[in-house]
Amino acid sequence: MTTSNKQASRPMGPLSRLGAEDLAAVAARHRQYFEPSWQARSLIGAVIAVMTAIAIFALIRLEVTPERFFSGLSRLGFFVVQMFPPNDEGKFWFFLKALAETLAIAFAGTLTAAVLAAPVAFLAARNVIPNIFVRFAVRRGLDVIRSVDALIWALVWVGVVGLGPFAGVLAIICSDFGALGKLFSEVVEAADNKASEGVLSTGGNPVHRIRFALIPQVLPVMASQVLYFFESNVRSATIIGIVGAGGVGQYLAELLRVLDLPPLGVLIFLILVTVAIIDVISSRLRLAIIGQPQRP
């Protein structure tokens, strides 16, 4: 079969069946779909130009120069070279203990924040609380809490309860409570209403609707989000330890302050290995909870 015969045997679309006059009539009738919108293109170009100008102004205002960038890279390379060969200087078990403390801070903070945020999320969901004033107050409260970074919360709690891992746990709880509350509420709002309608149609009350229709749908997604937050909080717990909230952060700050780089290399390697292991385990658990996507 020749190429022309193959093309002739293909199914033709609606526009391909029209003649030249008909196509011209369609194009004239729906001009906005066939001709470029110069207003939209001009608006997009103006937005790109404004954003580029703001970025250039920010770079100039913040004194971001190529000279400083490449000099910083050379100094970073010097630090990396000085880390080899790694030498723990007899602090290996102290590093492991501090790393275990960091994992405990992340786990306790994430789990507590999730337990506290779950019921609040239902109060912020549109399909659970129809009262706009209650929902607005809960949502704005979550926004206020999550607008403060975990490092700021760590500084606050160190000043309140003193140095140590307890301040780190409280910092992660406050930081994650607002974020998880918002994410959980969006998951509840995205739930399928058919199960809820089925529970209500059989005589169930709103509590039964939440227990038997909403929670079974949203619980796997919530658990997946909690796992991701735990993975992220391991890194956050490392950072907040620098301000005295426990964990390996205090060792990182001390070694950097005195430029004791060989043991710093050992500590960074332990952190990287721990985060990689947690990432692998968390990914497998998320797939097990949500389920493998079905291939067509």
Side-chain angles (χ1 to χ4, degrees):
M1 184 182 293
T2 62
T3 304
S4 59
N5 292 334
K6 290 181 179 180
Q7 293 177 351
S9 63
R10 292 176 183 174
M12 302 175 64
L15 291 178
S16 61
R17 299 191 189 100
L18 299 176
E21 297 180 357
D22 295 329
L23 288 176
V26 171
R29 190 179 304 114
H30 303 283
R31 191 180 302 276
Q32 68 275 18
Y33 298 109
F34 290 89
E35 293 185 357
S37 175
W38 296 108
Q39 294 180 349
R41 292 187 177 184
S42 300
L43 179 61
I44 294 174
V47 171
I48 294 176
V50 170
M51 296 300 293
T52 303
I54 293 175
I56 294 174
F57 174 77
L59 292 175
I60 296 174
R61 186 68 179 82
L62 299 176
E63 299 180 358
V64 179
T65 61
E67 293 80 10
R68 295 185 63 184
F69 176 75
F70 288 110
S71 64
L73 281 182
S74 62
R75 186 167 178 78
L76 178 62
F78 172 77
F79 282 177
V80 173
V81 171
Q82 293 299 315
M83 288 181 187
F84 291 93
N87 184 8
D88 58 12
E89 298 179 357
K91 301 176 182 178
F92 182 77
W93 295 110
F94 293 99
F95 290 166
L96 285 183
K97 181 180 178 181
L99 192 59
E101 189 174 87
T102 297
L103 293 176
I105 292 172
F107 180 79
T110 306
L111 182 61
T112 306
V115 172
L116 296 176
V120 178
F122 286 93
L123 298 177
R126 185 177 294 103
N127 56 342
V128 176
I129 303 297
N131 191 315
I132 187 174
F133 299 103
V134 175
R135 194 171 66 249
F136 179 83
V138 175
R139 282 182 175 271
R140 297 296 76 79
L142 293 175
D143 291 341
V144 170
I145 295 175
R146 70 187 178 88
S147 64
V148 182
D149 189 72
L151 185 60
I152 307 301
W153 281 117
L155 290 171
V156 172
W157 285 114
V158 165
V160 174
V161 301
L163 301 172
F166 184 43
V169 173
L170 292 175
I172 290 180
I173 290 174
C174 293
S175 176
D176 284 7
F177 173 75
L180 286 174
K182 175 179 174 55
L183 291 176
F184 287 173
S185 66
E186 293 177 351
V187 172
V188 174
E189 289 181 346
D192 189 3
N193 290 328
K194 293 181 180 179
S196 299
E197 294 172 357
V199 172
L200 295 177
S201 65
T202 56
N205 56 38
V207 177
H208 294 152
R209 170 176 172 258
I210 295 175
R211 168 62 183 86
F212 297 104
L214 291 179
I215 292 181
Q217 291 187 70
V218 303
L219 193 59
V221 182
M222 287 183 175
S224 175
Q225 291 175 342
V226 171
L227 286 173
Y228 174 77
F229 268 70
F230 169 66
E231 175 190 334
S232 177
N233 284 334
V234 173
R235 297 185 289 271
S236 299
T238 302
I239 301 301
I240 64 178
I242 295 177
V243 298
V248 297
Q250 56 186 352
Y251 285 102
L252 283 173
E254 179 183 351
L255 294 174
L256 279 173
R257 190 178 300 113
V258 298
L259 293 181
D260 193 2
L261 299 180
L264 180 63
V266 175
L267 185 56
I268 291 177
F269 177 76
L270 290 176
I271 295 173
L272 292 177
V273 171
T274 303
V275 171
I277 294 174
I278 292 175
D279 179 46
V280 173
I281 297 175
S282 176
S283 299
R284 293 181 179 273
L285 287 176
R286 284 198 296 268
L287 289 176
I289 292 174
I290 298 180
Q292 294 281 358
Q294 296 181 355
R295 297 182 179 179

